[in-house]
Amino acid sequence: MANPQEFRPEYSSTYVVLDRANQQELVRMAIQDQLLTTSMGGVLPEQPAPTIFRRVLDVGCGTGGWLIGLAREFPTTALLIGVDISSKMLDYAREQALAQGVNERVEFHVMDVLRMLEFPADYFGLVNQRMGSSYLRNWEWRKLLQAYTHILQPGGVLRITESDMVTVSSSTAYIRFNQLVFQALNQAGHFLAPAPDGVTSQLAPLFAQNGFQNIQTRAHVVEYRAGTPQGERYFNDAQYASRTLLPFLQKWLHVPEDYETTCQQMLADMQQPDFTATWHLLTVWGNRPT
């Protein structure tokens, strides 16, 4: 494999936060990474035999938390590679891998997966992707799944996790903020269907259309409450998102004049003892045909 430290140019990104050097987004991604893994019960909670994967690829790995967690939990995994378009995110990920003692098995590479996945055919036992809708538009999914088929070993597993937009919460301000984000994402082509579940509802059919077999799904319905560790992470994620997503909202929508007031009310509501929000997550996985 290429040296993960060698120079790679950064390409124009379709990620919803256009400033890839944004420190606030780096912090938010680290928070969200941990939030997702904890909410779903671990790194590979649905896989019956996770120790069989010798080489693993994490696409859009961000700050690397999922991949590092996998390396720590399953020391028999020989090689774990994370790719992301942001060199700043990957610099942070390498620091974390070194600090947690897994850097000899974990590599991070700057790569734009929408251009080319620079890996040999039949190479990985598992390809993982989480929250790809933050940079994938609806017309790009099919090509990417074909690329995953090429680099997966026969019988290898493709695993994709996405979420619905939050539509159930005790805070009307929080619901309104999520409606704005949904409208902008849908306008920009990031949803496969124009509905809050417009990505999750289409994943299993996409797998089938691209030839994957033994397709399975696992849904996670998570309720976040104020005053809990998970609720605090959820609050921090929303706090950063209200800032880092604003340029994206302004690009695709007429942002309401009371946007700042809405965000302030949302954050105030999320700190109230009776705050709740329900987040729907879905993991879909299937095997490349042998």
Side-chain angles (χ1 to χ4, degrees):
M1 297 306 301
N3 184 339
Q5 298 290 349
E6 69 180 293
F7 174 76
R8 286 285 186 273
E10 287 196 9
Y11 302 102
S12 175
S13 174
T14 60
Y15 182 51
V16 294
V17 178
L18 302 182
D19 178 12
R20 297 189 297 279
N22 188 311
Q23 181 65 26
Q24 287 186 321
E25 182 62 6
L26 188 152
V27 174
R28 187 185 79 85
M29 288 296 294
I31 293 169
Q32 188 182 85
D33 201 346
Q34 185 179 17
L35 184 68
L36 276 170
T37 300
T38 305
S39 299
M40 295 171 62
V43 287
L44 288 174
E46 77 291 336
Q47 296 299 314
T51 55
I52 67 173
F53 303 122
R54 302 295 295 167
R55 290 192 290 263
V56 174
L57 175 66
D58 188 21
V59 177
C61 65
T63 53
W66 181 86
L67 202 65
I68 292 169
L70 183 67
R72 286 173 57 85
E73 188 168 344
F74 302 108
T76 55
T77 307
L79 178 63
L80 304 97
I81 299 177
V83 297
D84 199 277
I85 200 170
S86 169
S87 60
K88 185 178 181 70
M89 296 277 185
L90 297 187
D91 287 343
Y92 176 89
R94 292 186 190 106
E95 292 173 2
Q96 296 303 304
L98 179 63
Q100 299 192 44
V102 296
N103 56 299
E104 292 185 357
R105 293 185 293 128
V106 177
E107 300 178 4
F108 294 102
H109 301 265
V110 175
M111 193 176 296
D112 183 355
V113 299
L114 299 183
R115 290 173 177 256
M116 181 179 292
L117 280 169
E118 303 169 33
F119 298 107
D122 308 335
Y123 192 71
F124 293 102
L126 171 68
V127 173
N128 181 68
Q129 174 191 299
R130 301 201 304 182
M131 302 304 179
S133 57
S134 62
Y135 56 88
L136 285 167
R137 280 82 55 90
N138 53 35
W139 57 88
E140 292 162 336
W141 280 89
R142 185 177 297 276
K143 179 182 177 182
L144 188 56
L145 264 62
Q146 291 171 352
Y148 291 158
T149 302
H150 178 71
I151 63 175
L152 273 168
Q153 300 164 351
V157 173
L158 174 62
R159 176 185 191 262
I160 294 180
T161 299
E162 292 289 343
S163 73
D164 296 350
M165 297 302 301
V166 174
T167 58
V168 178
S169 174
S170 59
S171 169
T172 56
Y174 183 57
I175 292 174
R176 188 180 181 203
F177 172 75
N178 275 275
Q179 288 172 339
L180 289 173
V181 175
F182 164 70
Q183 290 169 15
L185 286 168
N186 188 52
Q187 185 73 13
H190 289 262
F191 271 67
L192 291 161
D197 65 347
V199 177
T200 57
S201 65
Q202 305 300 309
L203 282 182
L206 267 177
F207 273 60
Q209 291 162 15
N210 285 273
F212 285 88
Q213 299 177 343
N214 307 317
I215 300 165
Q216 300 179 66
T217 66
R218 176 176 288 189
H220 303 266
V221 182
V222 189
E223 185 177 75
Y224 295 102
R225 293 182 173 274
T228 65
Q230 286 292 84
E232 186 64 22
R233 293 190 188 103
Y234 197 67
F235 167 81
N236 290 334
D237 180 75
Q239 186 176 34
Y240 284 110
S242 66
R243 303 272 64 80
T244 60
L245 292 180
L246 180 56
F248 178 76
L249 298 180
Q250 291 171 327
K251 178 178 179 180
W252 292 101
L253 300 175
H254 174 69
V255 177
E257 293 181 0
D258 64 347
Y259 176 81
E260 292 294 335
T261 302
T262 298
C263 290
Q264 291 172 11
Q265 185 61 54
M266 170 185 76
L267 297 174
D269 291 347
M270 294 180 78
Q271 295 285 61
Q272 297 304 308
D274 60 347
F275 171 78
T276 61
T278 303
W279 199 19
H280 292 258
L281 301 157
L282 183 71
T283 296
V284 180
W285 67 98
N287 299 96
R288 175 191 160 179
T290 57

